[in-house]
Amino acid sequence: MQDSNMKKQILILEKTPVQIFSWKLTQIKYSQLILMDLERQSDIKKLGLKKKYLLNSYVINLVATWQVFIEDLLEYGVDKISKTITEEKIIDILRANSKEMIKRFNTPNTKNIDQIFKTVLGINKITTSINIEGMDLTEAKFKVNRILEIRHKIAHTGTSGEDLQLEMNFDFMEHLLEVGKQIEEKVQIELRLKN
């Protein structure tokens, strides 16, 4: 009897995609910390150029981490839906569709995010759920897309085309994290995954 009660008390701890995203963001901060270390030293040759490349690499890593988060969130939704379906063939089709869409997903801007969540999970215009204090929806989505455009320019020209700063990169990270929290919540609500 006691063994049965203990089994009921065991908690299943599962990290959500946004929790994993947040953890990964703490890992990429080290390029920013290297920059701060460099600024404390006075005899660094070509400090401006080194700062530029560290700031650029942060944006590239930030967007890569963002894309992985979007893909993880999509798979999370597929996994949760699959647990409610008894027909194996439907689960196979859902998973195959998800894998194929993720394979082709290479620019995690708001338009493409809306498209992939609509196609795979049937969630229409997921990015309209973004609600950032002090910004209207258009501004909040513009900022996500701007971060992607900066990454695109760095990846294809070797430079951001603008003067990136530590504070700007931190602001980009905070914005994507908040947007990530909100779209994960939208997935949970739409798929009725909330406890």
Side-chain angles (χ1 to χ4, degrees):
M1 182 80 156
Q2 187 177 7
D3 190 38
S4 172
N5 288 336
M6 281 185 62
K7 287 181 183 177
K8 290 179 184 178
Q9 293 177 1
I10 294 175
L11 293 175
I12 298 173
L13 300 176
E14 175 185 1
K15 290 190 180 209
T16 67
V18 83
Q19 290 169 326
I20 295 166
F21 180 48
S22 178
W23 179 81
K24 287 179 179 179
L25 290 175
T26 64
Q27 301 303 300
I28 67 169
K29 73 179 177 198
Y30 288 100
S31 63
Q32 305 272 77
L33 295 175
I34 293 167
L35 180 67
M36 293 166 74
D37 290 343
L38 287 175
E39 288 178 338
R40 285 189 211 111
Q41 298 180 15
S42 60
D43 62 338
I44 303 294
K45 292 181 180 166
K46 300 192 181 208
L47 179 61
L49 189 58
K50 291 174 182 177
K51 285 171 57 174
K52 176 183 168 183
Y53 280 103
L54 284 169
L55 291 165
N56 286 353
S57 69
Y58 180 83
V59 171
I60 289 170
N61 285 313
L62 177 63
V63 172
T65 304
W66 171 246
Q67 180 166 336
V68 170
F69 161 70
I70 296 298
E71 293 167 359
D72 287 351
L73 182 58
L74 194 69
E75 289 177 344
Y76 173 80
V78 168
D79 286 344
K80 295 299 182 182
I81 287 174
S82 296
K83 291 177 182 175
T84 67
I85 299 171
T86 56
E87 182 63 46
E88 283 296 318
K89 187 69 175 166
I90 294 172
I91 294 171
D92 291 344
I93 292 168
L94 179 62
R95 289 189 189 280
N97 184 35
S98 173
K99 282 184 182 182
E100 184 59 33
M101 292 302 295
I102 287 172
K103 199 183 306 179
R104 291 189 275 153
F105 182 68
N106 61 10
T107 304
N109 59 30
T110 57
K111 178 184 172 198
N112 292 343
I113 291 168
D114 283 342
Q115 183 62 46
I116 198 167
F117 278 89
K118 173 69 175 159
T119 303
V120 176
L121 297 177
I123 301 172
N124 196 28
K125 297 183 180 178
I126 193 167
T127 62
T128 60
S129 64
I130 300 170
N131 183 12
I132 305 293
E133 188 175 331
M135 290 183 176
D136 66 21
L137 178 62
T138 302
E139 292 171 311
K141 289 173 75 168
F142 176 81
K143 191 169 185 176
V144 171
N145 294 332
R146 179 171 175 251
I147 297 165
L148 271 285
E149 288 168 7
I150 291 170
R151 196 266 338 149
H152 181 77
K153 187 155 184 161
I154 293 167
H156 294 283
T157 68
T159 182
S160 66
E162 58 185 272
D163 187 25
L164 294 176
Q165 298 294 320
L166 201 65
E167 299 79 21
M168 179 189 285
N169 282 359
F170 184 75
D171 181 59
F172 288 163
M173 180 275 301
E174 282 186 316
H175 188 74
L176 290 181
L177 181 58
E178 184 58 33
V179 169
K181 288 176 183 177
Q182 292 179 18
I183 63 173
E184 180 178 281
E185 184 159 345
K186 178 73 171 175
V187 167
Q188 291 174 333
I189 291 167
E190 289 291 317
L191 301 179
R192 289 163 181 76
L193 300 176
K194 281 284 198 194
N195 292 336

